Amino acid sequence: MPHANSDLAAKLINKNIKPSYQRIRIFRYLIENQNHPTVDQIFSALQKELLTLSKTTVYNTLDLFVDKKLVRPLTIEENELRFDINVEDHGHFKCESCGQLFDFHIKLDDYIPQELNKFVINDKNIYFNGICPDCLKIKN
Amino acid sequence: MPHANSDLAAKLINKNIKPSYQRIRIFRYLIENQNHPTVDQIFSALQKELLTLSKTTVYNTLDLFVDKKLVRPLTIEENELRFDINVEDHGHFKCESCGQLFDFHIKLDDYIPQELNKFVINDKNIYFNGICPDCLKIKN
DNA sequence: ATATAAATTTATAATCATTACAATTTTAGA
DNA sequence: TCTAAAATTGTAATGATTATAAATTTATAT
């Protein structure tokens, strides 16, 4: 599914983000590759076409996107951040064997734990770990 | 609540961990300071008494503890790992203003999302972000 | 249009948590 | 007590992220 740059620009403007070419391309990457990518993955993929792209730009852009709530940062990895274009309430499963990340459906939208009724909750993250079906097959 | 080293040693042995003096002291620190500490916090605190303690030992010991399921690593921070001596099912709230971590009660023990019924789930982590009551007071 | 200021991008260097590695010390068993 | 294995230590390397300043692009006013 190709995404017209003009449509992407409109969406960025809608989120109060000036649609520079780099930002549009990073946004497009996130939409077309919903793999919870790292900064390095985004940078490596886009560098092929945007020869002058700097990794700092990728960092800056993602910081901006997070700030504007266009993407959600995932701290599920111990050493590097990942980014999720899907900001709706859902969970993430990480396979300890192959490292792959899977989305799963879980709604905590209107769930507020007793102890937190005096807290303002801005964000809810749910991370499960274990072994995915493919890796289970290989093992047995 | 002081903890006798012999009791702590017994608990380590029970988890198949040889109770070296360093391991006992790190274990004791985790029990007596349930603040989800970082490696650096543990190291800095213990260094005062264990003059020759090496940060590598703290890393090694925590890796071992995680492996033996004596502690649980928390990836809630973007830049550094924290460790939780409480391995029971519960959630963590991080205040975006003061950075403090709060525990809250949430049981997902027997919850398995539809999409994951072919997955083996080893661990469930729940991270909320927002503003804690103290920081809310200061703001208003 | 053109000059000027602001925003954005870029390249490089610095930071800092973590890991790798090898040497030293301690522990356990013969 | 001797020897091998395990644990600890110190130092160096790694690698993601951040800081910084220069260069480029964009927006605005004249």
Side-chain angles (χ1 to χ4, degrees):
Chain A
M1 60 187 91
H3 290 79
N5 282 2
S6 57
D7 291 354
L8 297 172
K11 282 181 185 168
L12 291 179
I13 290 168
N14 198 41
K15 287 275 186 180
N16 270 313
I17 298 167
K18 282 192 194 165
S20 75
Y21 187 58
Q22 287 86 340
R23 288 170 179 174
I24 289 173
R25 292 304 304 270
I26 291 169
F27 186 35
R28 181 139 73 97
Y29 179 89
L30 287 163
I31 289 176
E32 295 180 353
N33 302 275
Q34 302 211 9
N35 309 317
H36 319 92
T38 63
V39 164
D40 198 65
Q41 286 174 325
I42 299 168
F43 173 72
S44 300
L46 293 182
Q47 199 187 22
K48 291 165 191 158
E49 295 179 53
L50 292 166
L51 282 324
T52 69
L53 182 66
S54 163
K55 197 175 274 191
T56 306
T57 300
V58 182
Y59 275 103
N60 290 342
T61 301
L62 287 168
D63 284 351
L64 180 68
F65 284 4
V66 169
D67 209 56
K68 301 293 189 183
K69 306 210 183 298
L70 190 62
V71 301
R72 179 215 291 249
L74 303 183
T75 58
I76 194 168
E77 303 276 358
E78 296 188 2
N79 58 333
E80 58 189 345
L81 262 190
R82 292 184 171 275
F83 296 89
D84 196 344
I85 190 72
N86 179 0
V87 294
E88 283 174 38
D89 223 356
H90 67 285
H92 292 99
F93 177 96
K94 181 185 165 194
C95 177
E96 289 159 357
S97 177
C98 65
Q100 210 185 328
L101 281 189
F102 301 83
D103 287 334
F104 62 88
H105 194 79
I106 181 172
K107 274 237 167 296
L108 292 178
D109 259 340
D110 27 56
Y111 172 78
I112 295 173
Q114 294 291 333
E115 292 122 299
L116 298 186
N117 54 20
K118 296 253 173 65
F119 291 63
V120 171
I121 300 171
N122 290 335
D123 208 17
K124 295 170 181 170
N125 289 290
I126 296 163
Y127 300 135
F128 287 8
N129 295 292
I131 311 291
C132 75
D134 282 353
C135 289
L136 282 173
K137 269 182 217 156
I138 294 163
K139 270 191 181 173
N140 303 330
Chain B
M1 60 188 91
H3 289 78
N5 283 0
S6 57
D7 290 355
L8 298 171
K11 282 180 184 167
L12 291 179
I13 291 168
N14 198 40
K15 287 275 187 180
N16 271 314
I17 298 167
K18 281 192 195 166
S20 75
Y21 188 57
Q22 287 87 339
R23 288 170 179 175
I24 289 173
R25 293 304 304 272
I26 291 168
F27 186 35
R28 181 139 74 95
Y29 179 89
L30 287 163
I31 290 177
E32 294 179 354
N33 304 275
Q34 302 213 8
N35 309 318
H36 318 92
T38 63
V39 164
D40 198 64
Q41 285 174 325
I42 299 168
F43 173 72
S44 300
L46 292 182
Q47 198 187 23
K48 290 163 192 158
E49 295 177 54
L50 291 166
L51 282 324
T52 69
L53 182 67
S54 163
K55 197 176 272 190
T56 306
T57 300
V58 182
Y59 275 103
N60 290 341
T61 301
L62 288 168
D63 285 351
L64 179 67
F65 285 3
V66 168
D67 209 56
K68 301 293 189 183
K69 306 212 182 298
L70 190 63
V71 301
R72 180 214 292 248
L74 303 183
T75 56
I76 194 168
E77 304 276 358
E78 295 187 3
N79 57 333
E80 58 190 344
L81 261 190
R82 292 183 171 274
F83 296 89
D84 195 344
I85 190 70
N86 180 359
V87 293
E88 283 174 38
D89 222 357
H90 68 285
H92 291 100
F93 178 96
K94 181 185 165 192
C95 177
E96 288 160 357
S97 178
C98 65
Q100 209 184 326
L101 280 191
F102 301 84
D103 287 334
F104 63 86
H105 193 80
I106 182 171
K107 274 238 169 292
L108 291 180
D109 259 338
D110 28 56
Y111 172 77
I112 296 173
Q114 293 292 332
E115 291 122 299
L116 299 186
N117 55 19
K118 294 252 173 68
F119 291 64
V120 170
I121 300 171
N122 290 334
D123 208 18
K124 295 170 180 171
N125 288 290
I126 297 166
Y127 300 136
F128 287 9
N129 295 291
I131 311 290
C132 74
D134 283 353
C135 289
L136 283 171
K137 270 182 214 156
I138 293 164
K139 270 192 181 171
N140 302 330

